[in-house]
């Protein structure tokens, strides 16, 4: 069955290349009927017909391995169905793997024309190019000869592109465009057997287009099950796609407003549930958030974080600017309380969730040691991360927190992550999942590695790849909002009968923060406006994260 994947709306297991190969081997050993490659060809055929029902030309570019075999199988089926499929084969027919060779034979028997590039028909918007050049076996070495020619030709066409399994050249583990400019930019990608993490992080989202999945029947063999929970799949996922805020958590509060026709009472969205206020609660129940940042000229960053923490449902939010001449009041949010860092005592810090570093400049380093020692819950962003990267003693202090039962979240962008890891940004981006996991283990923290397909990694947990968000978030201040939002959710979560664990809570906060960009529906979302959109979620209005325009209503 071919299903469409909505990255912001589906939780799904992601399997990297090695895990997919293991699954494939187990599936092949079970001798499924139809055989995997025939099932793959059928899935490609079905989606091709759905995407281009009026195609005058369907051109299948088939590579030298089994990805090419999938394309050949699809071409054979399309031709048998009377569709105008032709194949450009970029590989030596005599050296195809066995399954692909059998598919080549079927394509020949079906009368599929094999064309030279010079015979490529002029393609229009109703036609279709099928990229079956490289899949899991694509290697990061320069493409040459017929393969390079086909990739160049594909890049120059106007017709929509359907990539089989992976856009050729895209690394399924990391989302790196391994063939540089020749890496295929598809309009649609039909993932086979498994969803690969690389489709959803790094350059993946831009290269994959709309993602579809066909498990080729292996779910029927019990090898992959639906995304019911980390204990589900027989082959443990490499990561999880975080695509919904409301699905997995058990109801923590009774349903409030069943709709007519609802079979079961509707459960408050997980995001909203964190801040729904029962009668017997008071502002102290939701904890204090202290935002420490805003050095001279950078107060705005700390204000944004504080406003976001407030919008997230924290009981009280203290803003401690590092600029001694800084404002005494946020006129737009008079609810925020300003308090100098010198006014904090170890005792008051011990009650608070602290968000440190937003616009902190060099001044944050001086207060960081105290925060690392006393704050039970600490979110570090921006200049706090740079300070930690520059000072081994602060790094040791951050690492030591875990053994004292103090929890920490760090929210680096790739450059900050690189500084913390002592490498360059390219190394971080080359394998974002690995970089986030390394950082989580090194610092004993939950890590949010920001960027397209943000990664949430926590020691001992399967990482999340966030599926929500748009480039509207790529604007100054949205990171400050995220840090404050995480702190606020963390603080508000303390009021729940069972507070969510940190990995879960962080992933939820990252999802709701990025989902706000989609919710706002604007190409660019200024950070202060983002806070206002988030306030609609944090206010705890029933269904705010799961309402008519949310997952249930979509
Ligand atoms: N077996 C089955 O039944 C099923 C298989 N399935 C399908 O198989 C796919 C995996 O197939 P695969 O392992 O054959 O790898 P694939 O991506 O076709 O490429 C390997 C070939 O490309 C070549 N090559 C690589 N990089 C290159 C470069 N830069 N420049 C030039 N050449 C390069 C490489 O050459 P080599 O490195 O060996 O010299 C080799 O010849 C998977 O993604 C899915 O679509 C599923 O449908 C399930 C059922
Ligand atoms: K491909």
């Amino acid at each position: 069955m071919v299903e469409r994947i909505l990255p912001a709306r589906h939780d799904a297991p992601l399997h990297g290349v090695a895990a997919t190969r293991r699954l494939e081997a187990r599936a092949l050993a079970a001798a499924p009927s139809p055989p995997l490659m025939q099932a793959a060809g059928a899935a490609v055929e079905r989606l091709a017909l759905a995407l281009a029902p009026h195609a005058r030309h369907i051109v299948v570019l088939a590579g030298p391995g089994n990805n090419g075999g999938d394309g050949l199988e699809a071409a054979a089926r399309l031709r048998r169905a009377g569709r105008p499929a032709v194949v450009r084969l970029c590989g030596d027919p005599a050296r195809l793997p066995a399954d692909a060779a059998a598919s080549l034979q079927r394509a020949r028997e079906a009368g599929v024309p094999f064309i030279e590039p010079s015979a490529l028909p002029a393609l229009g918007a109703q036609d279709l190019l099928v990229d079956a050049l490289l899949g899991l076996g694509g290697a990061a070495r320069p493409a040459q000869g017929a393969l390079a020619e086909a990739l160049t030709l594909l890049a120059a066409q106007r017709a929509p592109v359907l990539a089989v399994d992976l856009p050729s050249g895209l690394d399924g583990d990391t989302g790196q465009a391994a063939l540089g400019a020749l890496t295929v930019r598809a309009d649609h990608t039909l993932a086979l057997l498994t969803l690969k993490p690389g489709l959803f992080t790094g350059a993946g989202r831009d290269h994959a287009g709309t993602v579809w999945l066909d498990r080729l029947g292996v779910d029927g063999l019990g090898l992959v099950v639906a995304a019911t929970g980390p204990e589900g799949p027989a082959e443990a996922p490499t990561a999880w796609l975080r695509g919904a805020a409301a699905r997995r958590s058990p109801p923590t509060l009774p349903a409030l407003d069943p709709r007519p026709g609802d079979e079961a009472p509707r459960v408050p969205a997980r995001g909203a549930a964190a801040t729904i206020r029962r009668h017997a609660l008071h502002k102290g129940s939701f904890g204090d958030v202290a935002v420490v940042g805003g050095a001279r000229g950078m107060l705005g960053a700390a204000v944004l974080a504080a406003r976001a923490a407030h919008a997230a449902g924290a009981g009280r939010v203290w803003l401690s600017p590092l600029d001694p001449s800084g404002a005494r009041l946020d006129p737009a949010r008079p609810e925020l309380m300003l308090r100098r860092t010198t006014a904090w005592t170890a005792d008051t810090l011990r009650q608070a969730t602290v968000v440190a570093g937003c616009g902190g400049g060099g001044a944050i380093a001086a207060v960081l040691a105290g925060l690392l020692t006393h704050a039970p819950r600490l979110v570090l962003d921006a200049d706090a991360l740079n300070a930690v990267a520059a000072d081994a003693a602060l790094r040791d202090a951050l690492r030591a927190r875990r053994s004292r039962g103090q929890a920490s979240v760090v929210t680096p962008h790739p450059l900050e992550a690189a500084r913390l890891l002592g490498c360059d940004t390219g190394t971080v981006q080359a394998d974002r999942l690995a970089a986030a996991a390394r950082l989580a283990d090194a610092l004993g923290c939950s890590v949010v590695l920001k960027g397209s397909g943000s990664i949430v990694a926590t020691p001992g947990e399967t990482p999340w790849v966030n599926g929500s968000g748009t480039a509207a978030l790529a604007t100054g201040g949205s990171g400050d909002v995220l840090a404050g939002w995480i702190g606020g959710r963390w603080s508000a979560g303390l009021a729940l009968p069972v507070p969510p664990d940190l990995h879960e809570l962080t992933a939820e906060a990252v999802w709701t923060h990025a989902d706000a960009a989609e919710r706002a529906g604007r190409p660019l979302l200024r950070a202060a406006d983002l806070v206002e959109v988030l306030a609609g979620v944090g206010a705890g209005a029933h269904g705010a994260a799961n309402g008519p325009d949310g997952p249930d209503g979509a």
Side-chain angles (χ1 to χ4, degrees):
M1 189 186 72
V2 177
E3 59 178 315
R4 180 168 172 191
I5 301 299
L6 298 170
R9 299 286 177 253
H10 281 138
D11 280 355
L14 304 175
H15 291 84
V17 174
T20 302
R21 295 268 193 215
R22 285 194 294 273
L23 251 170
E24 184 188 318
R26 288 157 69 182
L28 287 170
S33 175
L36 288 188
M37 194 167 283
Q38 292 183 39
V44 174
E45 178 203 20
R46 213 167 326 139
L47 186 55
L49 291 179
L51 296 175
H54 307 298
R56 291 168 306 137
H57 305 287
I58 299 176
V59 177
V60 177
L61 301 170
N66 284 322
N67 194 251
D70 293 345
L72 289 164
E73 194 67 46
R77 296 180 64 96
L78 284 162
R79 203 74 203 182
R80 281 202 299 271
R83 301 292 174 157
V86 301
V87 167
R88 165 65 186 152
L89 181 59
C90 307
D92 179 352
R95 297 181 61 193
L96 288 175
D99 288 341
S103 295
L104 172 63
Q105 183 59 30
R106 274 191 289 279
R108 285 178 170 148
E109 287 164 8
V112 172
F114 286 78
I115 61 165
E116 292 298 315
S118 57
L120 187 81
L123 300 180
Q126 77 275 39
D127 297 322
L128 190 68
L129 266 164
V130 177
D131 159 29
L133 290 167
L134 298 172
L136 290 178
R141 62 175 194 267
Q144 290 172 333
L147 188 68
E149 191 179 33
L151 289 165
T152 308
L153 188 148
L154 187 149
Q157 290 293 326
R158 275 180 41 232
V161 174
L162 166 59
V164 177
D165 205 17
L166 286 166
S168 294
L170 187 78
D171 187 307
D173 284 330
T174 66
Q176 270 240 301
L179 296 183
L182 285 185
T183 304
V184 168
R185 283 183 183 271
D187 299 278
H188 299 268
T189 295
L190 173 58
L192 298 169
L193 278 179
T194 63
L195 291 170
K196 288 82 186 166
L199 294 170
F200 302 102
T201 195
R205 291 289 291 269
D206 285 338
H207 282 268
T210 302
V211 176
W212 305 78
L213 170 66
D214 195 307
R215 295 199 186 279
L216 308 181
V218 302
D219 33 355
L221 299 174
L223 297 177
V224 181
V225 299
T228 50
E231 73 286 350
E235 178 66 47
T238 312
W240 282 83
L241 176 66
R242 180 67 174 210
R247 293 282 159 78
R248 265 161 297 96
S249 73
T252 50
L253 294 168
L256 304 177
D257 61 343
R259 290 177 177 173
D262 275 0
E263 283 178 15
R266 299 181 80 237
V267 171
R270 173 174 52 193
T275 51
I276 286 176
R277 288 166 188 251
R278 287 169 288 147
H279 274 281
L281 298 176
H282 56 87
K283 63 188 177 191
S285 309
F286 297 91
D288 296 340
V289 171
V291 174
V292 184
R296 195 179 299 272
M298 294 185 283
L299 183 64
V303 169
L304 286 168
R307 288 185 185 181
H310 186 256
R316 293 177 299 193
V317 178
W318 302 93
L319 172 56
S320 294
L322 293 166
D323 176 4
S325 64
R328 299 270 184 273
L329 177 76
D330 176 3
R333 282 280 157 226
E335 308 91 314
L336 305 181
M337 294 174 284
L338 275 85
R339 175 185 279 191
R340 297 269 163 256
T341 46
T342 45
W344 288 103
T345 65
D347 266 354
T348 48
L349 271 183
R350 271 194 281 272
Q351 312 301 319
T353 302
V354 177
V355 178
C358 307
I364 192 73
V367 298
L368 214 43
L371 300 179
L372 288 164
T373 304
H374 299 297
R377 295 168 296 281
L378 183 60
V379 181
L380 296 182
D381 186 40
D383 289 317
L385 299 176
N386 295 331
V388 168
D391 185 336
L394 290 177
R395 265 197 313 284
D396 289 344
L398 176 53
R399 210 175 294 125
R401 288 172 51 78
R402 196 165 175 228
S403 57
R404 292 199 299 268
Q406 296 169 316
S408 325
V409 178
V410 298
T411 57
H413 57 54
L415 175 58
E416 289 158 353
R419 288 182 186 133
L420 287 163
L421 285 166
C423 63
D424 58 22
T425 314
T427 307
V428 170
Q429 291 295 77
D431 195 342
R432 290 166 51 78
L433 273 164
R438 219 155 13 108
L439 202 51
D441 286 341
L443 300 178
C445 295
S446 285
V447 173
V448 179
L449 177 57
K450 295 184 283 200
S452 177
S454 289
I455 308 291
V456 177
T458 301
E461 302 277 359
T462 304
W464 291 103
V465 179
N466 188 52
S468 62
T470 69
L473 288 175
T475 167
S478 76
D480 303 311
V481 173
L482 176 62
W485 180 248
I486 293 171
R489 303 300 271 180
W490 202 351
S491 185
L494 300 176
L496 290 174
V498 183
D501 73 60
L502 189 55
H503 189 55
E504 168 59 31
L505 178 142
T506 307
E508 186 268 344
V510 169
W511 186 93
T512 39
H513 170 266
D515 183 61
E518 295 187 31
R519 187 177 290 274
R522 293 181 229 156
L524 198 88
L525 193 56
R526 286 174 304 191
D529 296 339
L530 171 61
V531 176
E532 296 311 311
V533 180
L534 285 168
V537 180
H542 171 57
N546 197 17
D549 58 346
D552 283 355

